[in-house]
Amino acid sequence: MPDFLEISEVSPNELECILRNTAFIRNSANRTSDLLADKSVALIFEKPSTRTRLSFEVGVRQLGGTPIVLSSSEMQLGRGESIHDTAKVLSRFVDLIMIRTFADRTLRELAEFADIPVINGLTDKSHPCQIMGDIFTFQELRGNIAGRTVAWLGTGNNVCTSFLHAAGQMGFNLIFSGPGQFNPSEDAVAFAIGKGVSVDFEPDPIAAVATADLIVTDTWVSMHESVLEREKIWDTLMLYQVNTELMSHARPDALFMHCLPAHREEEVTSEVMDGPQSVVFDEAENRLHVQKSIMCWCLGLLPV
Ligand code: CP
């Protein structure tokens, strides 16, 4: 049974299958309420979470399964038990593991030694479940994302990496606009370009949003990053704030996304967050539906 570790590691056909099942699962609650009957899912959090925790826990329950939420501080993992032994023990008790952790190598080691599927619920490197929810949201509102253009404003973080992976797998172009020292992962850029889509670096945020179908930003300081480092260049970062003036240069039908939590009046103003082009709360809700589909895919339970 497959893991869901990176969008770059799941074939485009399988990604499409997950997205197709997302719509079915969302629209067929009465026919999917026992898909995870008799199954238990471990949800491990080594970092804080609101959306990921709630959407996975509620999602497992809605599919008839039993979620077990664990933080590493409550587990022997927090006292030095190895990932290897943790993976082996969890495999004897539960059917699926979702982990939010720091290092990519922790995720990889867990997946290597677990006998059950593992889902990436965010690492310092990537956030694939979020982007599956974002792509689902875009396609529900605007149709196929292939051939479209996404403008990413601000810093090239782990969420941006998963957007680049999705660009390559789903055939859309990405424009990055932010301070040069916060360019996105070179590997992720190379992955997207290698799949034949364009990744452009546009220092002028107005030019970046002008042709975009979707405008995205995220907090300038991710959970594993130093606020002090970012504060030194706050004035430069403010040039990339998504505000009403910047949105006035975008197409009227361009959507605005932010994976949340947002720092209002920093990377985005409240006027944009709560404005007509913003779909940030649809994105949050769609984490629930898409992750139910991802869990089913991992377990070979595909209703469509
Ligand atoms: N977007 C996201 O993953 O939110 P949480 O950190 O609240 O889970």
Side-chain angles (χ1 to χ4, degrees), residues 48-53 100 127 130 223 259-261 287:
S49 170
T50 298
R51 280 143 289 269
T52 306
R53 175 176 171 163
R100 166 168 286 196
H127 197 1
Q130 177 67 54
M223 282 183 273
C259 71
L260 307 179
R287 293 288 302 281

Side-chain angles (χ1 to χ4, degrees), residues 16 74 84 99 107 123 132 145 151 170 189 192 262:
E16 196 187 319
E74 297 163 332
H84 172 279
I99 184 166
L107 173 77
T123 65
M132 290 298 283
I145 198 162
M170 299 175 193
V189 171

